[in-house]
Amino acid sequence: MDVWGTLDIATAIVRDDLNSSFRKTKKTTIEKLPDKVLLNIFSYLSHREICRMARVCKKWRIIAYDTKLWRHVSLRPEISGLHVGSLEFLLALISIRFGPSLRYIELPIELITHTVLHELANKCPNLTHMLLDFSTAMQLHDFSELQGFPTKLKYLCICLSEVIFMEGFMRKIYNFINGIEILHLVGTYEKVEEEEEEVYEVINVHKLKSATPNLKVINLYGINFIDDSHIDAFSSNCIQLECLAVNYCSKVTGSTLKILFHRNRRLRCLLLNGTSLQSEYLMQVEWEKCPLLELDITATDLSSEALTDMLTRLPGLRFLSAGQLNGFNDSVLKAWMEQGNVRNLVALDLDSSDNLSDDGMYKFLSKYGHQLQGLCLSGMSNITDTLWQSVLPILNNAKILVMGTPERLAGNVLIDQLMDGIASNCPKLERLELRWDPENLRFSDKSQKAIDTMRVKCLKLKSLVISDGRYYEIVKANFERADRMTVVRTLTNCRVSNYYLLSNYKDLIFN
């Protein structure tokens, strides 16, 4: 009896302690958290959500307006959801809320005025990144009185209009932007209609290059007037150039590439997706002496002869994107393996290159698959899940995989086995895209097990993109139950690319 009594007393003490600690825990609320902790919590919210939090109470309002939370600001409503109703309000924000903490700002056309730019120059001395969106402009503000502009900018992005000439504005800022290292000029490629009437050179590139001698990254995206003379202009003055991107600049033919590489010995990355490259110009380049490491020639209609000539002479290519090229066939691949240098390759994109056989790809991947971090073999009906299953054990270093074709196939894709194979062989995987038509995906009642295996083994997985359908819903629900809400996405809203592996990837993001 004494023993039982002792146990009963001990149990009572334990229960008392538990109740006491529970009561203490119950009293701890978010209001009791230190300001530093709340500030850290708020830093994970978008600015639109922070503005909502400011309405809760006086304490939260003070924290929400802390300048540390307003270092990177977008005032474009379609991007951030923030809308500034008047210039007076913006000027107050710059003075009170942004101040010396501001590092990055995005401004829409209605907020780009000489007074706003003056205030940014005077009140935000640490501003280094700026985006000016003129894309919806029908006319510019009057900049005749513009006498000041942020002088510490390292990054400048200008979204161009189709019809507004920028020279009046640019002439005023040339003296302030000579420290810029990263320049983005974003054109209207996605807005252009099929029958284009007249092309306007809305910004004077030849004058701009003289004002920006320290450029390391130049991104000219989808600008309908950019041609080889503009590339020549930049190459003549920007000797520190490391990365040049002219994606979707359809007038670029490559006629100045030989001069470009001769002048710019530091150029490592060249992106020419959707340009009008001519094979003859490509074959004139002295590729043996070229320091190029990263190249995108997707959708450029180059010949097999030009591709073979270039790939067998390039000394150390690490990134190649050569999708949608009829000229890229087995003979090009074989010549590259036998006569070229593939030992440094870490990223390969051959999307929709229909003249490549599954046998040719298997031989290539058997030899070099172990070194690849990114592989895109989508858009080819002959590259099936059978080939992927056979090469997955070799792709043990893969971070990015893109597979499948949206075209309806004669056979079916055994998705459970494929997912299990990916999970077992690719532990470093970060991004995966499956482009197969949902009707071609065959899965069983045990699909959850294969999905569980992928979720548990591929812990670095950030993005899993699948076509809309029943299988997408199953995978999405599985990841959401494990509180990984943003991993599974639909092809309608998201695409995966090897661009994540570019050395200057973070510098190339502009939207």
Side-chain angles (χ1 to χ4, degrees):
M1 288 297 292
D2 290 337
V3 175
W4 287 110
T6 305
L7 286 173
D8 197 38
I9 291 168
T11 306
I13 292 169
V14 170
R15 283 177 181 168
D16 224 25
D17 288 343
L18 286 171
N19 288 335
S20 175
S21 81
F22 176 73
R23 282 195 295 271
K24 289 178 182 177
T25 307
K26 193 175 181 182
K27 290 178 182 178
T28 304
T29 66
I30 195 168
E31 295 173 3
K32 302 280 177 93
L33 290 176
D35 290 356
K36 287 184 179 180
V37 176
L38 276 174
L39 186 65
N40 190 42
I41 293 171
F42 276 35
S43 69
Y44 290 92
L45 303 176
S46 68
H47 284 136
R48 189 175 184 182
E49 291 168 328
I50 290 173
C51 290
R52 289 175 181 168
M53 296 301 105
R55 301 175 184 175
V56 174
C57 62
K58 188 181 291 185
K59 180 180 178 180
W60 283 27
R61 185 180 182 86
I62 293 170
I63 293 170
Y65 289 168
D66 192 302
T67 56
K68 294 184 182 70
L69 296 175
W70 298 87
R71 289 175 177 168
H72 298 79
V73 180
S74 172
L75 298 178
R76 295 192 291 168
E78 69 277 13
I79 303 298
S80 64
L82 293 183
H83 176 71
V84 176
S86 68
L87 288 174
E88 291 74 18
F89 183 52
L90 175 57
L91 295 174
L93 286 176
I94 293 171
S95 179
I96 299 168
R97 194 177 307 178
F98 299 163
S101 295
L102 189 67
R103 301 288 190 277
Y104 176 103
I105 192 166
E106 297 181 2
L107 295 173
I109 176 61
E110 60 271 17
L111 300 180
I112 305 173
T113 68
H114 72 274
T115 52
V116 169
L117 296 175
H118 280 161
E119 280 297 289
L120 287 172
N122 295 330
K123 302 291 176 61
C124 306
N126 297 311
L127 183 62
T128 57
H129 291 62
M130 176 180 279
L131 183 149
L132 302 175
D133 188 355
F134 294 96
S135 60
T136 58
M138 295 310 292
Q139 66 178 28
L140 293 182
H141 292 282
D142 181 11
F143 292 102
S144 59
E145 297 182 23
L146 181 61
Q147 302 298 327
F149 193 78
T151 56
K152 290 188 179 180
L153 290 183
K154 298 295 181 185
Y155 171 112
L156 178 63
C157 177
I158 299 177
C159 301
L160 303 176
S161 168
E162 288 181 281
V163 294
I164 299 299
F165 293 91
M166 302 287 298
E167 195 51 33
F169 168 72
M170 297 302 296
R171 198 182 301 116
K172 289 289 185 177
I173 70 170
Y174 283 145
N175 292 333
F176 301 97
I177 61 173
N178 57 7
I180 288 177
E181 296 178 358
I182 302 166
L183 174 67
H184 296 285
L185 298 180
V186 184
T188 54
Y189 166 76
E190 295 174 358
K191 300 178 182 177
V192 172
E193 298 179 0
E194 290 185 8
E195 294 183 6
E196 194 175 342
E197 295 181 0
E198 192 172 353
V199 176
Y200 299 102
E201 192 164 337
V202 297
I203 195 167
N204 192 324
V205 171
H206 296 278
K207 289 184 179 179
L208 176 61
K209 61 98 178 181
S210 300
T212 53
N214 296 306
L215 287 177
K216 293 181 179 179
V217 177
I218 300 174
N219 177 28
L220 312 175
Y221 179 87
I223 305 176
N224 52 15
F225 64 82
I226 289 291
D227 57 27
D228 298 277
S229 69
H230 299 107
I231 294 177
D232 181 59
F234 275 121
S235 69
S236 66
N237 197 52
C238 305
I239 59 173
Q240 300 183 58
L241 190 60
E242 297 174 2
C243 174
L244 175 63
V246 289
N247 289 345
Y248 304 106
C249 295
S250 57
K251 290 191 175 182
V252 172
T253 64
S255 62
T256 58
L257 285 182
K258 185 177 180 179
I259 300 172
L260 173 70
F261 288 116
H262 179 72
R263 288 172 175 167
N264 303 100
R265 298 296 183 179
R266 297 185 181 184
L267 188 63
R268 299 291 184 270
C269 177
L270 182 61
L271 308 180
L272 300 161
N273 188 343
T275 57
S276 301
L277 277 186
Q278 300 295 313
S279 298
E280 58 181 297
Y281 296 137
L282 215 67
M283 296 174 72
Q284 293 172 6
V285 178
E286 296 176 322
W287 294 112
E288 299 91 343
K289 302 176 183 179
C290 182
L292 196 67
L293 299 177
E294 299 166 343
L295 178 65
D296 186 353
I297 48 173
T298 300
T300 51
D301 201 26
L302 294 171
S303 67
S304 300
E305 184 184 5
L307 290 168
T308 302
D309 178 75
M310 177 185 66
L311 291 175
T312 54
R313 291 195 289 146
L314 266 170
L317 202 62
R318 68 176 295 275
F319 178 104
L320 177 65
S321 186
Q324 303 173 46
L325 292 177
N326 291 329
F328 208 116
N329 52 33
D330 286 354
S331 63
V332 174
L333 204 60
K334 184 180 179 182
W336 190 20
M337 283 193 290
E338 294 176 353
Q339 304 169 40
N341 180 10
V342 196
R343 289 173 297 177
N344 298 321
L345 191 72
V346 297
L348 179 65
D349 184 344
L350 297 173
D351 173 64
S352 302
S353 293
D354 296 321
N355 290 328
L356 285 167
S357 69
D358 54 347
D359 183 56
M361 282 310 310
Y362 179 77
K363 290 177 181 177
F364 182 87
L365 294 174
S366 297
K367 191 171 182 180
Y368 298 106
H370 66 279
Q371 67 193 45
L372 293 180
Q373 296 177 26
L375 178 61
C376 175
L377 296 179
S378 56
M380 295 178 276
S381 55
N382 58 314
I383 306 296
T384 63
D385 57 319
T386 306
L387 175 65
W388 279 103
Q389 286 281 23
S390 63
V391 300
L392 279 173
I394 308 166
L395 302 173
N396 54 331
N397 284 311
K399 295 181 179 179
I400 298 172
L401 293 175
V402 182
M403 56 186 75
T405 175
E407 299 174 10
R408 189 71 64 87
L409 302 176
N412 293 319
V413 177
L414 303 177
I415 193 66
D416 290 347
Q417 295 177 21
L418 185 61
M419 294 285 269
D420 191 61
I422 294 170
S424 302
N425 295 292
C426 306
K428 300 178 182 179
L429 194 66
E430 296 178 6
R431 291 175 171 85
L432 171 65
E433 182 173 334
L434 307 174
R435 295 183 182 174
W436 281 295
D437 187 297
E439 296 299 320
N440 284 123
L441 300 181
R442 288 295 172 267
F443 49 93
S444 65
D445 296 335
K446 298 180 180 179
S447 285
Q448 291 289 354
K449 185 177 179 181
I451 301 167
D452 285 338
T453 305
M454 167 164 281
R455 180 171 46 76
V456 171
K457 289 190 175 182
C458 299
L459 294 175
K460 295 183 178 180
L461 193 64
K462 301 174 183 176
S463 177
L464 172 53
V465 183
I466 311 174
S467 297
D468 279 319
R470 188 182 163 204
Y471 188 71
Y472 163 75
E473 297 297 337
I474 293 172
V475 178
K476 185 176 174 65
N478 184 294
F479 274 78
E480 287 182 347
R481 279 196 298 271
D483 288 331
R484 296 177 68 181
M485 310 296 289
T486 61
V487 174
V488 184
R489 307 167 189 182
T490 171
L491 269 171
T492 309
N493 301 320
C494 185
R495 299 299 289 267
V496 171
S497 165
N498 280 346
Y499 269 22
Y500 295 102
L501 298 173
L502 288 173
S503 304
N504 295 97
Y505 169 68
K506 290 183 179 180
D507 296 332
L508 288 167
I509 297 174
F510 53 79
N511 213 353

